[in-house]
Amino acid sequence: MEQIFSTFPLVFFFLLFFIYSTPTLSQSPAPAPGPPGPADIIAILQKARQYTTFIRLLKTTQVSDQLNTQLSKSNEGLTVFAPTDAAFTSLKPGTLNSLSDQQKVELIQFHVLPSFFSVSQFQTTSNPLRTQVGNDGQFPLNVTATGNQVNITTDMVNATVANTVYTDNQLAVYQVDKVLLPHGLFAPPPPAPAPAKPKKQEASSSSPTDDTARVDTSGGIHLSQHAFRAMSSLVLVLGAFCF
């Protein structure tokens, strides 16, 4: 009996070692996390706050869907200049309401560069930069940088990059203190071309000359100037003869 109790701790130790060293078959190892998906521009701006108006325009124009799709399919990345709510408040009253739906799309696209730019890359870039609107001369955008100071110039606005909202080497979102307005959005449409003047009808070759009698549709006879003078002289001669 004493021998059994003396070996019990040793047996108990081996049982515990066996239980903890044997892998549990019912549990499979956790899968490795997959690569993160593309950044969502709306989610980034909502997390940063103070971009309510810009978010609303991104949604109503559906530009946000376009940008998210572009991020998932392109390796060039995107750069977004995001005006704050205070920047939109400083606009002249009625500015946004004066724009058509297409012009609002162009306004938002004007705030997006179709490639990724870090702050340091702005120091060596060539102006004007191509935006999502394109390189149209009606929408010029120039960006200059000195150190961490980045300035943006359009043909209507001088703005400053106040902060980096988000960057991941694929998407860069920068806070700007003004809404980037291009003059092309507010330029009056070109005047419509003047209507062509009707051509003058050429005189018919069969038209009567001044020396021939002209007959109108009423049946009266119009005498030429020479015939009228001849008849006047005849009347005068006959009058003198009668007297």
Side-chain angles (χ1 to χ4, degrees):
M1 182 68 68
E2 292 179 359
Q3 186 176 3
I4 294 175
F5 280 105
S6 63
T7 59
F8 179 79
L10 184 62
V11 174
F12 181 76
F13 172 78
F14 278 109
L15 286 174
L16 289 176
F17 178 79
F18 178 80
I19 291 172
Y20 284 102
S21 62
T22 303
T24 303
L25 298 178
S26 60
Q27 295 181 352
S28 58
D40 183 270
I41 294 176
I42 296 297
I44 291 171
L45 293 173
Q46 287 175 336
K47 184 177 180 181
R49 302 182 179 181
Q50 68 177 335
Y51 298 101
T52 305
T53 304
F54 192 57
I55 291 172
R56 176 171 56 83
L57 287 172
L58 281 167
K59 289 181 176 179
T60 57
T61 59
Q62 298 182 348
V63 173
S64 59
D65 296 336
Q66 171 193 344
L67 299 182
N68 288 333
T69 301
Q70 189 169 341
L71 278 173
S72 64
K73 295 183 178 181
S74 173
N75 294 324
E76 295 184 3
L78 290 173
T79 301
V80 179
F81 298 116
T84 61
D85 290 334
F88 279 100
T89 303
S90 64
L91 289 176
K92 182 180 178 181
T95 299
L96 292 181
N97 292 334
S98 67
L99 301 178
S100 65
D101 291 342
Q102 178 59 34
Q103 287 174 323
K104 289 177 182 178
V105 171
E106 293 174 346
L107 175 63
I108 299 303
Q109 290 177 334
F110 188 60
H111 287 73
V112 181
L113 307 179
S115 55
F116 173 84
F117 280 91
S118 64
V119 172
S120 60
Q121 287 177 315
F122 286 130
Q123 299 179 11
T124 57
T125 188
S126 299
N127 287 308
L129 292 178
R130 183 169 64 94
T131 68
Q132 287 287 92
V133 182
N135 263 342
D136 194 334
Q138 289 185 323
F139 300 90
L141 182 73
N142 298 290
V143 181
T144 57
T146 305
N148 291 328
Q149 180 71 28
V150 180
N151 298 317
I152 306 173
T153 304
T154 75
D155 52 6
M156 292 183 66
V157 173
N158 294 321
T160 301
V161 171
N163 187 26
T164 299
V165 179
Y166 178 87
T167 182
D168 63 358
N169 295 325
Q170 179 71 9
L171 170 66
V173 181
Y174 298 108
Q175 174 185 327
V176 290
D177 60 349
K178 293 182 181 179
V179 180
L180 307 179
L181 298 177
H183 186 265
L185 286 180
F186 306 96
K197 294 182 179 180
K199 295 182 179 181
K200 294 182 179 179
Q201 294 183 353
E202 297 181 357
S204 175
S205 59
S206 61
S207 299
T209 62
D210 291 339
D211 294 332
T212 60
R214 296 186 178 92
V215 180
D216 64 1
T217 56
S218 62
I221 299 176
H222 297 272
L223 301 179
S224 67
Q225 187 177 5
H226 294 294
F228 179 77
R229 289 178 179 176
M231 288 191 64
S232 299
S233 300
L234 180 60
V235 171
L236 291 175
V237 172
L238 290 176
F241 179 77
C242 293
F243 285 103

